[in-house]
Amino acid sequence: MKKAPQKRNENCLLEMSCPECHSRGPFRIGISAIAVVHDDGTDEITDPEWDNDSYCACMSCPFEGTVRGFDESKR
């Protein structure tokens, strides 16, 4: 049975899909963020940022690369 196509992303993952399996996410992305850190861990993480060179991996298949590789407008 063929999978139904996923709805296009409209927010944080706009124009992103896996170039291998065409999943639209979720993806593991290496980010920079601001965190409130205590000795026993973090309780607030804000302002996550990434760019085209950030690590990105598909959660639906083993494909990994950079955010640029997942950007549909760059293919």
Side-chain angles (χ1 to χ4, degrees), residues 53-65:
D53 296 321
S54 297
Y55 169 84
C56 190
C58 183
M59 299 287 291
S60 296
C61 78
F63 188 83
E64 57 185 36

Side-chain angles (χ1 to χ4, degrees), residues 5-65:
Q6 292 178 310
K7 184 177 117 183
R8 293 185 74 79
N9 294 321
E10 298 175 348
N11 294 301
C12 294
L13 299 177
L14 182 66
E15 306 245 341
M16 288 185 70
S17 68
C18 176
E20 188 70 27
C21 74
H22 307 290
S23 169
R24 296 200 181 277
F27 305 119
R28 297 179 73 86
I29 299 177
I31 64 168
S32 293
I34 303 297
V36 175
V37 182
H38 303 271
D39 188 41
D40 59 351
T42 61
D43 61 11
E44 181 181 327
I45 298 176
T46 60
D47 302 321
E49 294 180 1
W50 61 84
D51 62 25
N52 285 329
D53 296 321
S54 297
Y55 169 84
C56 190
C58 183
M59 299 287 291
S60 296
C61 78
F63 188 83
E64 57 185 36

